[in-house]
Every structure is written in C-alpha cells, then in structure tokens.
C-alpha cells in the first residue's frame, strides 16, 4: 500500500510539472533600460539610453526555451546628455520619431538555452519602420521574491550589436560607426490576476 501511494504521488508530481504553465510577468519600467554606444569619429565613445520600456515575459523555469518576451519603448525617451544631439537623433535623419515610427518593438521568436542562467533569444526588432532579426545574448540575473514588493520577480541583462544602416539610420557612417553596441537590463514582476 505504501509503495502504491508513493508511486501515485510521484506520478502526480510529474503530471503537475508537465501541466505547469509559464508564468506571466510585466516589465518594471522604473528598473528597465537600454543603453547604447558607438564610436564618434575615432575620438570618443558616445553613449545614449532609452527608458519607458514596457512589455511582457512568459517565463517557464522548467523549460526556459518555451518562454517568450515582447517589449516596446518610445523613441522620445532617448537621452544622450546633450539636448541638441537628442533632438537630431529623433529627427528623420536617425530614429524618425517625428515621422511614422515613434515606437521600437521586439518580439521573441525563439530561445536557445546555453547554460544554467544563459540563453540566446532570437526575435524581430522593429526600429524606424524596419524589421530585422536580432539575437540577444541573455543572462538571468535573479529569479525570486522581491524583498520590498513581496511578489515573484525576474532580472535579466542582455547584449547585442546592431548596424544602423540596417534600419535606414546610416548617416555619417563609417566615420561615425555603423556598429552600435546595445546593453539591456530588465526587471519584471509577476503579472496581476
């Protein structure tokens, strides 16, 4: 009888794990940002940042490859530390925020798990009205209960390299580097209800 009960319990645990669904998380906008940098004429490395990032993560800790992410942010959130540069970057010469593409979006299409806390997330990045496939080299920093919010929380960092010219923003290249290094840091909280 004891063996039968233990076996039934084991099957129940396995079945429960198999039926477990990914958990929904929403971005913590106050702790999510995208930083980019590029070479300026060989003299300096110039840096900028985007904020106001919103999105959702469907996270499956039992099968991370079955997870997904969608994110967006307004081009108008751009900050470089110099108002004249911000204004120029938001013109049709670059990000086109005054035109028809004021939002940047990313939608994952696949995840390749590369380690206990690492993965390559492939997805479609739409920037300046152009959609290209990109790969985010991603690290799960932490998964656990937030000590102040008292709810499940996730933290990720990711990096990628983009070519400005792929998104019709190649002005001044190659003097101003076409390659842009991108670093992403995101916190996400368990979705309500």
């Amino acid at each position: 009888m004891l063996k039968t009960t233990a076996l039934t319990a084991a099957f129940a645990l396995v079945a429960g794990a198999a039926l477990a669904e990914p958990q929904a998380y929403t971005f913590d906008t106050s702790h999510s940002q995208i930083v980019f940098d590029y070479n300026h004429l060989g003299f300096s490395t110039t840096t900028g940042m985007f904020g106001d990032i919103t999105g959702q993560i469907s996270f499956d800790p039992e099968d991370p490859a079955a997870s997904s992410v969608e994110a967006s942010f307004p081009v108008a959130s751009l900050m470089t530390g110099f108002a004249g540069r911000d204004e120029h970057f938001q013109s049709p010469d670059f990000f086109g925020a005054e035109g028809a593409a004021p939002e940047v979006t990313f939608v994952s299409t696949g995840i390749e798990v590369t380690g206990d806390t690492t993965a390559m997330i492939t997805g479609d990045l739409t920037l300046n009205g152009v959609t290209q496939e990109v790969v985010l080299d991603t690290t799960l920093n932490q998964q656990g209960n937030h000590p102040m919010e008292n709810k499940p929380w996730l933290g990720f960092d990711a990096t990628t390299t983009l070519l400005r010219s792929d998104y019709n923003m190649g002005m001044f290249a190659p003097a101003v580097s076409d390659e842009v290094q991108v670093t992403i840091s995101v916190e996400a909280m368990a979705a309500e209800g």
Side-chain angles (χ1 to χ4, degrees):
M1 180 68 171
L2 183 59
K3 286 183 179 178
T4 304
T5 304
L7 189 58
T8 302
F11 277 121
L13 285 173
V14 170
L19 296 174
E21 292 186 13
Q23 185 170 1
Y25 289 80
T26 58
F27 281 33
D28 173 6
T29 302
S30 67
H31 293 100
S32 299
Q33 59 275 320
I34 297 168
V35 177
F36 64 90
D37 63 70
Y38 60 92
N39 181 283
H40 183 255
L41 305 171
F43 292 110
S44 67
T45 299
T46 303
T47 302
M49 185 177 90
F50 290 98
D52 295 334
I53 305 165
T54 59
Q56 304 82 37
I57 297 171
S58 176
F59 184 67
D60 187 339
E62 299 300 319
D63 182 13
S67 302
S68 63
V69 60
E70 294 184 14
S72 67
F73 61 90
V75 171
S77 69
L78 173 70
M79 299 177 288
T80 68
F82 182 69
R85 184 183 307 114
D86 293 353
E87 186 176 330
H88 189 202
F89 278 180
Q90 293 189 46
S91 77
D93 285 348
F94 291 100
F95 290 101
E98 297 172 356
E103 290 283 324
V104 179
T105 62
F106 175 82
V107 178
S108 66
T109 56
I111 297 176
E112 177 191 352
V113 175
T114 57
D116 290 342
T117 60
T118 58
M120 304 299 277
I121 301 176
T122 302
D124 293 329
L125 176 68
T126 301
L127 169 63
N128 206 32
V130 177
T131 301
Q132 297 278 350
E133 183 178 272
V134 299
V135 179
L136 305 179
D137 188 351
T138 308
T139 299
L140 171 63
N141 298 324
Q142 185 164 280
Q143 173 192 3
N145 214 45
H146 192 287
M148 291 174 276
E149 299 294 336
N150 197 29
K151 63 180 353 180
W153 219 263
L154 299 173
F156 292 95
D157 284 344
T159 59
T160 193
T161 300
L162 303 178
L163 294 179
R164 296 188 294 121
S165 56
D166 284 348
Y167 299 91
N168 298 325
M169 298 190 301
M171 182 171 275
F172 306 125
V176 176
S177 63
D178 196 17
E179 278 196 359
V180 177
Q181 310 301 318
V182 180
T183 303
I184 303 160
S185 191
V186 169
E187 289 187 31
M189 67 194 89
E192 299 295 330

